[in-house]
Amino acid sequence: MTGAESLIRTLMASDVEVCFANPGTTEIYFVMALDKVGGIRSVLGLAETVVTGCADGYARMAEKPAATLLHCGPGFANGIANLHNARKGNTPIVNVIGDQATYHRPFDPPLTADTEELARAVSHWVRTSNSAQQVASDGAAAVQVARTAPGQIATLIVPAEVAWSEGNEPALPLPVPKRPLVAPETVQTAVRILRSGEPAMILLSGQVLGEAGLFAAQRIAHATGAMLRTPTQVHRMARGRGRPPVDRIPYLVDKALKTLGSLKHMILVGARPPVGFFAYPGKPSLMVPSDCAMHVLARPEQDGVAALEWLADELGSPRVVPIPEAGPKPRIASGRFEAEAFGTTLAALLPENAVVVEDAVTSGRAIFPPTFNAAPHDWIQITGGAIGHGFPCATGAAVACPDRKVVCLQADGGGMYSLQALWTQARENLDVVNVVFANRVYLILYAELHGAGQSPGPASNNLFHLGRPGLDWVGLAKSLGVEAASVETLEDFADVFRAACGRRGPFLIEFKTS
Ligand SMILES: Cc1ncc(C[n+]2csc(CCOP(=O)(O)OP(=O)(O)O)c2C)c(N)n1
């Protein structure tokens, strides 16, 4: 058996079921082994940013890593932006990069690059396999690293001769360490803080945004009056009717400062201290008042759910507490696009148990609160700010969850970074309704310009306007094999969305919002 085959059999033994790929010559032996072994689903992405974004969306929903297969340093580099988003979201991913044979590398052929250095930029673990005898155990180690809480990116570089030479037997799966429990003193400190009566907020992120963590956090809020929030971006959150409606910290620094301004304590559970996306002249980096004390109940890799349940018990909170009312009621609105009205409309129509993937930038901010009252669903968001995440992430999520409707909310500017993912949706017949907010500008950048006290000039208009030529989203989608329609009003959106949800397979709705 070749090294490549021993690696694939190892990945399979470690429960890796899917390989998102854009291969080249250095990966040919890996591809041949995929043919021979069978059993791993191979999914082609027509750009590496699609491949890595798919792996992110897949793992967020499957709660285990997929493999990616990428070509040398340049192929990997094309996938970095969405690996960056995955890393910020603590998504487990195993990257396999085929590379030049070690004895060929010194001749510096065209695709030679510093692959390890590129990989280090977004990986928690990087290893180049030295021999075909070793590649199987390297593969098992990569999966172990990826699955170690809170989820990591492991990158294995496989030189060509390692893939084609005679390999070892496949390696057995390595044990995945359990999430460590928090210390009893940490829970007792939190009890004291929350009983002090001073204004406190619990900031929830990662694992605790699943149902169990949210219900435990709600028990604590019920017993103490503590406020609950999530960071501005959520990796994956359980939402919808009957679930605690925990809102995000606002994106805009001034709004965030207002929301957090009266706090004396912030308790972090799987979260980091809240900072602005960017620095602005005269504004602070940290979005809590300087006299607000920061406490850690659970670090991202610890068992935050157990910590919250423990804390709720210590506080003597009942096991079942009322869930607060949240936001406006679902309602199909009419007229031109307006973000909150879109949110109430989506809430009225969202299928039960849907997965919502959001990379909607300015159009997305006001959609979050009105959808607390939608049918139960999971919400996935771009976590690293590298736009162009939505289409690929939704594609991967749909591979992970074939029985759930995936709804992708994508801003048009970001959508153009990775629209090839639509082709993968068509090729794999994935059940995704893509909604593109076609405002035909980089609206957020106009807002930043206004915020800096400037009016747009010729250069800004050239750089922020997407007209000349306009983007034809229906044409683009159809050319990639995805049925599509364009709407300009909320009532038309409701009709088309309802019909799109009533059928299987990918669909794209261009919502002309301006
Ligand atoms: C990978 C990457 N490149 C560039 C940017 C800078 N950037 C932030 S928002 C934005 C434009 C967003 O436009 P669009 O996606 O249409 O959303 P809108 O602002 O119109 O709501 C750009 C270019 C970024 N965040 N990430």
Side-chain angles (χ1 to χ4, degrees), residues 81 359-363 385-387 410-415 417 437 439 441-445 466:
D359 181 13
V361 195
T362 56
S363 304
I387 60 173
Q410 176 66 65
D412 56 353
Y417 285 55
F437 300 101
N439 59 14
V441 287
Y442 287 164
L443 189 61
I444 192 170
L445 300 187
L466 305 183

Side-chain angles (χ1 to χ4, degrees), residues 299-359:
R299 295 193 304 274
E301 72 277 15
Q302 290 179 309
D303 192 338
V305 173
L308 288 170
E309 285 170 348
W310 189 356
L311 179 55
D313 290 345
E314 288 289 320
L315 289 163
S317 185
R319 294 217 69 80
V320 179
V321 296
I323 303 300
E325 285 283 312
K329 293 279 164 253
R331 180 181 78 85
I332 293 174
S334 57
R336 296 300 308 245
F337 176 84
E338 193 277 315
E340 189 177 309
F342 177 86
T344 63
T345 305
L346 183 66
L349 300 170
L350 196 68
E352 185 96 13
N353 210 22
V355 179
V356 178
V357 176
E358 189 224 316
D359 181 13

Side-chain angles (χ1 to χ4, degrees), residues 76-393:
F76 181 81
N78 280 339
I80 282 182
N82 272 329
L83 286 172
H84 162 86
N85 286 324
R87 188 174 69 91
K88 292 285 186 185
N90 296 317
T91 305
I93 295 178
V94 175
N95 296 308
V96 177
I97 310 177
D99 214 345
Q100 299 288 3
T102 50
Y103 61 85
H104 195 52
R105 176 171 278 277
F107 298 101
D108 196 24
L111 275 155
T112 309
D114 193 344
T115 312
E116 282 196 355
E117 207 50 47
L118 288 165
R120 264 186 213 106
V122 284
S123 308
H124 299 86
W125 179 98
V126 178
R127 184 177 291 175
T128 299
S129 244
N130 283 328
S131 75
Q133 305 295 305
Q134 191 197 308
V135 70
S137 57
D138 290 339
V143 180
Q144 182 188 41
V145 167
R147 296 190 83 141
T148 298
Q152 307 194 78
I153 298 191
T155 300
L156 182 62
I157 301 165
V158 184
E161 88 275 24
V162 170
W164 76 52
S165 301
E166 180 69 21
N168 254 341
E169 286 301 303
L172 294 174
L174 294 174
V176 179
K178 274 209 157 94
R179 284 178 177 269
L181 293 175
V182 304
E185 309 84 75
T186 310
V187 177
Q188 290 313 325
T189 306
V191 169
R192 270 199 310 281
I193 293 160
L194 292 171
R195 287 210 173 125
S196 72
E198 294 191 315
M201 175 178 284
I202 305 177
L203 188 61
L204 305 160
S205 188
Q207 170 220 25
V208 295
L209 294 181
E211 257 191 343
L214 288 167
F215 278 112
Q218 190 60 51
R219 289 175 61 205
I220 298 166
H222 175 81
T224 62
M227 289 170 267
L228 304 178
R229 284 270 171 171
T230 78
T232 310
Q233 285 78 36
V234 295
H235 165 259
R236 172 180 168 182
M237 181 176 179
R239 304 172 80 245
R241 284 191 288 276
R243 289 165 166 175
V246 182
D247 206 354
R248 306 181 292 203
I249 292 177
Y251 172 84
L252 297 174
V253 173
D254 289 339
K255 278 195 176 173
L257 290 172
K258 216 167 147 203
T259 305
L260 309 179
S262 62
L263 292 180
K264 289 282 180 253
H265 300 277
M266 177 169 274
I267 299 179
L268 304 172
V269 190
R272 299 185 196 290
V275 296
F277 242 65
F278 300 105
Y280 294 91
K283 292 185 184 173
S285 291
L286 209 54
M287 298 193 296
V288 290
S290 52
D291 62 343
C292 172
M294 203 66 76
H295 314 271
V296 178
L297 177 65
R299 295 193 304 274
E301 72 277 15
Q302 290 179 309
D303 192 338
V305 173
L308 288 170
E309 285 170 348
W310 189 356
L311 179 55
D313 290 345
E314 288 289 320
L315 289 163
S317 185
R319 294 217 69 80
V320 179
V321 296
I323 303 300
E325 285 283 312
K329 293 279 164 253
R331 180 181 78 85
I332 293 174
S334 57
R336 296 300 308 245
F337 176 84
E338 193 277 315
E340 189 177 309
F342 177 86
T344 63
T345 305
L346 183 66
L349 300 170
L350 196 68
E352 185 96 13
N353 210 22
V355 179
V356 178
V357 176
E358 189 224 316
D359 181 13
V361 195
T362 56
S363 304
R365 284 185 207 146
I367 297 175
F368 202 71
T371 42
F372 281 126
N373 288 319
H377 60 276
D378 280 300
W379 192 286
I380 289 181
Q381 205 186 348
I382 173 175
T383 38
I387 60 173
H389 181 249
F391 289 146
C393 182

